[in-house]
Amino acid sequence: MWRVVVILSAAIVGIPLAGHAVEPSGYGQAGGEFDIKVPRVPAAELAEAKALQSPFQPTPEILKEGKEIFLGRGTCFQCHGPEGKGDGGAAKVLPIQPRNFTNPKFNKVRTPGEMMWVLKNGSMGQSGRVPGTGMLPIVGQFLSEEDGWKVLLYERSLGEEK
Ligand code: HEC
């Protein structure tokens, strides 16, 4: 639980976004997640991130482990919501809304490798340079890279068209 408190405090401290001339419109305002079409990985690292492949296939076993991490020690549900819709209890106090992983379009524009980049580096949001969206680095902090792949494969499974 303390981890969530630390993450949230850091997110709130990192807010000084409003009023910056170069911010995308709406940046830092409440209400809705931000454009999925804008890559979160900086341009110089994008090709490498896109090419990064998961060592796991999304088998039922891997997805089960990923779900346990999402709802458990990963604390992802606190912001992304118990069903991954981006509506977790902690989302209300965040300047940028968490990603809704149940949107099938998300998987089409984002590769697993780009998601891993965000898990390692955090997300700077749409501007690509302002830190503090609330999505702070997780892999290398309190999840291993293997756990990171499992949980992101689970997140992607939520957006699969059934
Ligand atoms: C403190 C709140 C918070 C927690 C906890 C959190 N996230 Fe996030 N996450 C966010 C926010 C806010 C965004 C949106 C950032 C943006 O729009 O750039 C985000 C975005 C992401 C993205 C990037 C989506 C994209 O557009 O590429 C991934 C991947 C992700 N989260 C995975 C996770 C995983 C996995 C966990 C748990 C291990 C987790 N998050 C925990 C707040 C959180």
Side-chain angles (χ1 to χ4, degrees):
M1 189 61 201
W2 61 269
R3 282 186 201 129
V4 176
V5 175
V6 170
I7 290 172
L8 284 178
S9 333
I12 291 159
V13 171
I15 287 177
L17 308 168
H20 238 281
V22 291
E23 264 29 292
S25 76
Y27 198 91
Q29 288 168 27
E33 57 178 338
F34 283 74
D35 198 342
I36 55 175
K37 295 196 286 304
V38 179
R40 283 351 189 217
V41 179
E45 293 171 55
L46 190 55
E48 198 185 330
K50 274 183 188 283
L52 192 63
Q53 303 269 345
S54 167
F56 302 111
Q57 294 299 315
T59 61
E61 293 74 30
I62 292 289
L63 295 181
K64 183 168 172 278
E65 279 188 62
K67 182 176 186 177
E68 280 161 14
I69 298 164
F70 186 89
L71 293 174
R73 64 200 152 89
T75 72
C76 319
F77 73 98
Q78 300 271 7
C79 294
H80 291 280
E83 293 165 353
K85 291 181 181 161
D87 57 355
K92 295 182 190 69
V93 300
L94 290 174
I96 305 295
Q97 289 302 287
R99 184 60 72 222
N100 171 5
F101 295 112
T102 66
N103 175 2
K105 289 190 186 125
F106 177 72
N107 286 345
K108 294 200 174 78
V109 299
R110 201 71 89 242
T111 68
E114 288 175 271
M115 292 169 77
M116 176 50 74
W117 189 96
V118 166
L119 288 184
K120 286 181 180 167
N121 298 283
S123 177
M124 294 175 278
Q126 286 179 224
S127 71
R129 61 170 197 79
V130 180
T133 63
M135 186 62 209
L136 299 179
I138 287 173
V139 163
Q141 302 296 320
F142 64 90
L143 284 189
S144 68
E145 188 161 337
E146 289 198 345
D147 285 348
W149 285 113
K150 289 173 187 169
V151 70
L152 77 79
L153 288 175
Y154 170 68
E155 288 176 341
R156 292 181 74 84
S157 76
L158 300 173
E160 256 158 37
E161 276 160 312
K162 299 191 179 81

